[in-house]
Amino acid sequence: MNLHLTTIARSHKPRRGSVYIAVLGVAMIVSIVSLSAMQITRLQRKSALALDDMAEARLMAQSAVEYALAQITADPVWRKTFASGVEYPADWVSLGGSGEFKFDLTDSDGSLSDDVNDAVTLRGIGQSGEAVHVATVMLEPTGDPLACLEVSLCVNERVRPEPGGDMVTDQVISSNDDIDADDAPITGDVEAVDDIRGDITGRETSAIPLREMPHEHVFDYYQFNGTWIDVDALPVDGSNNPVISLVLLTPNVNPFGATNPAGIYVIDCQGKDLRIEDCRIVGTIVLLNPGNSTALASSVVLEPAVANLPSLMVQGDISISTNDVNLSELDTGVNFNPVGTPYRNIDDSDRSDTYASVVRGLVYVSGTLKLLPDPDSPHSRFRGVVVCERIHAASRVTFKYDSVFFSYPPPGFAQGPEWRVMPASWQRASN
Amino acid sequence: MQVDWVTVKTVATTSQSETGLKLITVIVTDPDGVATQIRALRSRNSSFEQSPAVDLTAVTWLGAELQLGGSTASHSATQLSNQVYDAN
């Protein structure tokens, strides 16, 4: 019996220690779990508060933009009231919550008041707690049309048709410099800021005021709102140059990618010589960084999808050697007026139609517009308005005027104190 | 929700007449009775008030729902500052 008790007593000693250690361990585990849960809760709460601050800061940045829009709308001389790059107002504005905001207006040339044609970047800065959010939008001038839209051809530099050239207009050819028709005739009225001479059949008006030309931001709207076509996604010719040929490109049809409801397609040529020929385009083609031999050639039927939008905008130089040979579905094997893309209100599924080769709409070239003769039929035809910095006219070319662009100036072709937010220009910026 | 016209110079002052600038207050109360309030401004000349150049269908709001197994789903959503053309 004693032995038994002794045995029990001996066996109980280590058990008491084990239980103690076990209890201690469990207590530590429970403590750690509890502390971890508390820490996790704290982090979650901190994260939730940070998310709230981020959302509030974002809302404040957007409110800053709205506030700034109201400020400049109420102030007809806002370009003088505000200075470029300076934050307004002096004190942060609060709407009663935890957030507050300011805004600034920036002109890329550093001065808001030097030119009413300059686009302006509006920055809304919102903050809440430790969160800061900056939203930017572009403001573009609207209002009166640029004077360059008032004539069929407006050239910022001298107009001097080359031998073999023949410029014809049903309205006015205008130059912000001289017009010299000694080497080739001009049929129609002409006007120039400086001198006029040579073989001109129409009325000559010299010493006109300078016609306002588009500014550097003229491409912004189209870049923001256009669908970009990768130049490397285009087919190439034997010289490995990209080509757009034997295709239909419209708001509903883009063989090179996504479609654009306004038909605005932007191509960064990356210095390559893009060639556009034997095709029908209903939309606005925007060419950036074109190579020296970028060209519109042969039979091209080009017109804007939206009546007052440009049909062609080139940031640089381009050669145009289109002819007056009709674009033929039979010859090209392409249906250029499928269902959904009518031509003169007619669409069909056959391949037997022909289309007059003509560039309709507003054409703007920021560099040199080279009009070169097509060997088959040296006659390019424009119906609308052509605006360019320089012109090299060595072919027979007809300019027929369309006043729709002067009556309803497209984005980038208006000036004045009025403005609007450039669609699709909202961006989040780093502060 | 409450919408007030506020003066352009001092957004703290409400106005009985149109000023071109609205102060929008949204208050949401959860089932536990906790109220959350947010405020924002909207201008008459806002990009949201401009008509698009051509008729189009645009996506103006984006929402997301995340759920793991049978747990309660989390929801989040935001307005889109730039209206996105809806290809569908």
Side-chain angles (χ1 to χ4, degrees):
Chain A
M1 187 68 176
N2 285 340
L3 274 174
H4 177 67
L5 287 172
T6 304
T7 304
I8 291 173
R10 280 180 183 167
S11 63
H12 275 197
K13 278 182 183 173
R15 277 187 190 169
R16 283 186 190 126
S18 299
V19 169
Y20 176 72
I21 291 170
V23 168
L24 198 62
V26 169
M28 284 179 65
I29 290 169
V30 169
S31 300
I32 290 169
V33 168
S34 301
L35 288 170
S36 299
M38 287 170 63
Q39 185 64 14
I40 287 169
T41 305
R42 281 183 59 204
L43 289 172
Q44 285 177 334
R45 177 174 164 72
K46 193 174 178 182
S47 171
L49 288 174
L51 283 173
D52 285 350
D53 282 340
M54 286 170 60
E56 179 79 4
R58 180 171 183 260
L59 209 54
M60 287 299 103
Q62 292 176 343
S63 292
V65 171
E66 302 288 337
Y67 177 75
L69 296 178
Q71 292 275 338
I72 61 178
T73 301
D75 184 356
V77 291
W78 62 272
R79 283 184 180 268
K80 292 180 179 174
T81 303
F82 299 106
S84 179
V86 177
E87 292 181 2
Y88 294 96
D91 297 322
W92 290 88
V93 179
S94 170
L95 299 180
S98 60
E100 50 194 6
F101 63 76
K102 285 187 176 185
F103 73 89
D104 65 42
L105 299 158
T106 304
D107 190 323
S108 57
D109 65 13
S111 173
L112 292 171
S113 58
D114 68 331
D115 192 339
V116 294
N117 293 307
D118 285 348
V120 174
T121 302
L122 166 56
R123 231 167 49 106
I125 308 155
Q127 67 176 24
S128 177
E130 295 180 357
V132 177
H133 188 105
V134 180
T136 68
V137 291
M138 294 288 290
L139 306 184
E140 63 170 349
T142 59
D144 299 331
L146 297 181
C148 64
L149 300 176
E150 208 173 8
V151 293
S152 62
L153 169 65
C154 188
V155 184
N156 203 35
E157 297 188 5
R158 185 176 66 164
V159 175
R160 187 172 189 268
E162 302 288 320
D166 181 7
M167 301 173 76
V168 179
T169 181
D170 67 340
Q171 198 234 15
V172 175
I173 290 175
S174 179
S175 167
N176 281 343
D177 193 352
D178 301 324
I179 290 186
D180 179 351
D182 280 342
D183 294 332
I186 296 178
T187 304
D189 295 346
V190 298
E191 59 173 37
V193 170
D194 293 333
D195 300 329
I196 299 173
R197 65 171 178 269
D199 183 3
I200 296 164
T201 64
R203 188 178 54 198
E204 301 176 23
T205 308
S206 56
I208 62 161
L210 209 67
R211 288 193 177 275
E212 192 73 32
M213 302 290 282
H215 285 231
E216 56 184 331
H217 290 288
V218 67
F219 292 92
D220 290 354
Y221 172 89
Y222 306 95
Q223 292 186 55
F224 278 123
N225 290 274
T227 295
W228 290 69
I229 294 176
D230 183 358
V231 71
D232 293 326
L234 298 175
V236 293
D237 62 13
S239 304
N240 210 31
N241 290 318
V243 292
I244 294 177
S245 178
L246 307 177
V247 295
L248 176 68
L249 183 61
T250 77
N252 302 320
V253 181
N254 175 11
F256 313 112
T259 56
N260 182 286
I264 304 171
Y265 295 102
V266 185
I267 304 173
D268 182 351
C269 299
Q270 300 172 18
K272 297 175 182 175
D273 295 330
L274 171 65
R275 188 173 176 85
I276 301 173
E277 62 184 8
D278 297 320
C279 59
R280 181 182 175 215
I281 298 173
V282 182
T284 302
I285 298 297
V286 182
L287 303 181
L288 309 176
N289 307 309
N292 289 333
S293 298
T294 293
L296 204 68
S298 193
S299 299
V300 174
V301 182
L302 177 56
E303 60 186 314
V306 178
N308 73 326
L309 286 186
S311 52
L312 177 65
M313 296 186 68
V314 183
Q315 192 178 52
D317 304 340
I318 191 169
S319 301
I320 296 184
S321 57
T322 52
N323 57 37
D324 58 2
V325 176
N326 287 344
L327 180 65
S328 167
E329 291 183 346
L330 196 63
D331 294 342
T332 59
V334 178
N335 177 13
F336 290 112
N337 64 333
V339 174
T341 308
Y343 178 80
R344 303 289 174 262
N345 298 319
I346 296 175
D347 54 18
D348 56 40
S349 56
D350 63 35
R351 289 185 173 82
S352 59
D353 303 315
T354 58
Y355 308 83
S357 175
V358 57
V359 176
R360 298 176 192 273
L362 170 61
V363 173
Y364 173 62
V365 180
S366 72
T368 302
L369 171 60
K370 293 172 273 189
L371 299 168
L372 306 177
D374 180 287
D376 296 333
S377 172
H379 188 187
S380 298
R381 292 186 295 177
F382 296 89
R383 290 186 181 174
V385 173
V386 177
V387 179
C388 60
E389 180 67 20
R390 290 171 294 278
I391 193 165
H392 172 84
S395 69
R396 186 176 177 219
V397 54
T398 300
F399 301 97
K400 292 191 75 173
Y401 182 65
D402 187 342
S403 63
V404 67
F405 304 101
F406 189 71
S407 302
Y408 304 97
F413 290 86
Q415 62 179 346
E418 297 171 38
W419 52 269
R420 69 168 189 165
V421 174
M422 197 177 291
S425 68
W426 279 90
Q427 290 183 344
R428 183 179 177 181
S430 62
N431 50 327
Chain B
M1 188 179 78
Q2 186 176 335
V3 180
D4 296 305
W5 291 110
V6 292
T7 56
V8 175
K9 288 295 179 187
T10 55
V11 293
T13 308
T14 58
S15 170
Q16 296 301 313
S17 57
E18 181 178 341
T19 62
L21 188 62
K22 292 175 186 171
L23 174 63
I24 302 167
T25 306
V26 178
I27 303 172
V28 179
T29 306
D30 72 13
D32 296 329
V34 178
T36 301
Q37 173 180 291
I38 57 171
R39 283 179 160 174
L41 296 174
R42 180 64 64 86
S43 161
R44 184 173 51 208
N45 302 87
S46 169
S47 58
F48 301 104
E49 307 297 327
Q50 293 177 180
S51 301
V54 291
D55 289 340
L56 52 86
T57 303
V59 180
T60 62
W61 178 89
L62 194 65
E65 178 180 312
L66 182 65
Q67 185 175 22
L68 292 175
S71 63
T72 305
S74 295
H75 303 270
S76 186
T78 187
Q79 66 168 21
L80 301 179
S81 302
N82 294 316
Q83 297 189 350
V84 180
Y85 301 143
D86 183 6
N88 299 312

